[in-house]
Amino acid sequence: MRIAVIEDNEALAQGIAFRLRGRGHAVDLLHDGCEADAFLSREGADLVVLDLNLPGMDGIDLLRALRLRGDGTPVILLTARSETAERVAGLDAGADDYLTKPFEMDELEARLRAMARRKNLEFAARDTLGPLVFDRTGRQVLKDDQPLDIPRREIATLECLFERRRRIVSKSELITHVYGTGSDAEDSAIEPHVSRLRKRLEPYGIRIKTARGLGYMLEIDSP
């Protein structure tokens, strides 16, 4: 699943992302409310983890804007505020659940699973890629249950392209996904990963098309 984590505490955000990516999910990290609002309007997500105290736009205002657009994406609020009124305000604004900091990662995961079930979303550990299987939990690609030799950063590149497989993915998006938010890696750093990954996947009917000046798009042959 694609999960947006909107949290201005970067250490906490990275910790959540590490845990969720380890479970096989694609995670987009955002630290500013206005930036997050634009991202959700443009890209969307399957689930949102949303902090209330954000620079740029408060979490509740962001949530209201999301719902006013008719976006029903499940949202869990993270708050350090213990007052009942604040939690009620968040739920009234359209949140599906909330967690008060500090919290255990196991509980966050359980609540995300519950939200996914209510929305009939699948917390899938594996996805089919033509004749291949993408094992998100094991961070590997399998053919007939045998792992292919694909390095970690190429796996991350594939994950990003697969999650956005019906559209063009920019180099900057891939850099953020592979190297992390705030990385100083140049856009050109992704090119060798894409090139090597393309050669590995083409024999299986999986192509990475280049949209010159725009980015890349994953295409999978129909069986």
Side-chain angles (χ1 to χ4, degrees), residues 150-199:
I150 302 180
R152 176 175 58 88
R153 282 185 171 154
E154 289 177 37
I155 289 287
T157 301
L158 174 60
E159 179 180 59
C160 187
L161 289 169
F162 180 74
E163 290 292 339
R164 302 155 175 80
R165 58 191 175 278
R166 285 176 288 275
R167 67 174 184 80
I168 295 170
V169 183
S170 69
K171 290 181 180 179
S172 61
E173 284 181 86
L174 285 164
I175 286 290
T176 297
H177 190 87
V178 173
Y179 290 92
T181 302
S183 168
D184 58 2
E186 298 288 337
D187 283 358
S188 58
I190 204 67
E191 293 172 3
H193 300 313
V194 171
S195 177
R196 289 191 291 267
L197 182 63
R198 178 185 280 133
K199 290 176 183 176

Side-chain angles (χ1 to χ4, degrees), residues 1 47 111-121 123:
M1 296 185 65
L47 296 173
R111 290 177 181 271
L112 289 172
R113 286 194 298 269
M115 289 198 309
R117 286 194 299 270
R118 288 196 294 271
K119 295 294 183 178
N120 294 318
L121 299 172
F123 251 57

Side-chain angles (χ1 to χ4, degrees), residues 59-142:
I60 289 180
D61 289 338
L62 192 160
L63 180 55
R64 287 185 180 128
L66 187 75
R67 297 305 186 226
L68 282 172
R69 290 196 294 270
D71 190 330
T73 301
V75 175
I76 183 168
L77 293 179
L78 303 181
T79 175
R81 305 169 183 174
S82 59
E83 295 88 349
T84 300
E86 296 291 350
R87 298 197 298 270
V88 170
L91 293 168
D92 283 347
D96 297 85
D97 202 352
Y98 70 88
L99 265 180
T100 302
K101 300 175 186 177
F103 56 84
E104 296 292 333
M105 289 292 183
D106 285 345
E107 183 177 3
L108 173 61
E109 279 194 89
R111 290 177 181 271
L112 289 172
R113 286 194 298 269
M115 289 198 309
R117 286 194 299 270
R118 288 196 294 271
K119 295 294 183 178
N120 294 318
L121 299 172
E122 184 180 357
F123 251 57
R126 292 188 170 196
D127 284 298
T128 300
L129 290 163
L132 305 179
V133 172
F134 183 20
D135 178 358
R136 295 170 177 274
T137 302
R139 308 294 292 166
Q140 57 187 348
V141 177
L142 308 172

